[in-house]
Amino acid sequence: MKLLLHICCGPCSLYVIDALKARYPKEEIAGYFYNPNIHPYDELIRREVNAVKACSHKQIPLITAEDYDLASWKCFPDEGIKRCVMCYQRRFSQTARYAAEHGYSHFTSTLFVSPYQNHEAMRREAETAAQEYGVAFLENSDFREGFREGQNQARLLGLYRQKYCGCIKSLKGE
């Protein structure tokens, strides 16, 4: 197995990387930072810098995809779960496509560590993307049990811990 781990931010990656290394000690794991929804731009950069620090600390490579796209998120008319599903679709589709194009057999996401995300919707979108691109979505991707542990690790490492999911609507509390 060759695993591509979509990374939303450094703090969320810490426990997930540990869990994946424990489950698959001989498998290749690489991080993939793709988050076109993060607003403002300096927030995206802050999260990317901390993802780099986290991956360096955990000794896995990190691939960064550049695709800042504020217009899609700013003008998206729907709210709540519809907006989140759009976000999951974009992130997982791009991650699955990158995985397929670069020889990865499986993918998952650090979003699955968050107790604040809609896991059912994420799983649906990840499985759809996996099917579309011919890669496997990693079974057993629920990492919520390690959320606090990852946050504690982030605190000890001095990583930036954000207060909102990242999109412009969540920043404004919408």
Side-chain angles (χ1 to χ4, degrees), residues 62-80:
L62 179 67
I63 301 137
T64 300
E66 301 294 330
D67 186 15
Y68 188 66
D69 183 19
L70 176 60
S72 291
W73 305 93
K74 192 175 186 179
C75 299
F76 189 67
D78 289 321
E79 297 181 11

Side-chain angles (χ1 to χ4, degrees), residues 3 6 8 10 14-15 33 39 45 96 105 123 132 138 173:
L3 175 65
H6 167 261
C8 61
L14 297 169
Y15 173 81
F33 186 84
H39 178 78
I45 299 304
S105 59
R123 177 170 291 287
E132 181 179 349
L138 187 68

Side-chain angles (χ1 to χ4, degrees), residues 20-27:
L20 292 172
K21 283 183 165 187
R23 287 183 204 167
Y24 310 105
K26 296 181 181 183
E27 306 301 338

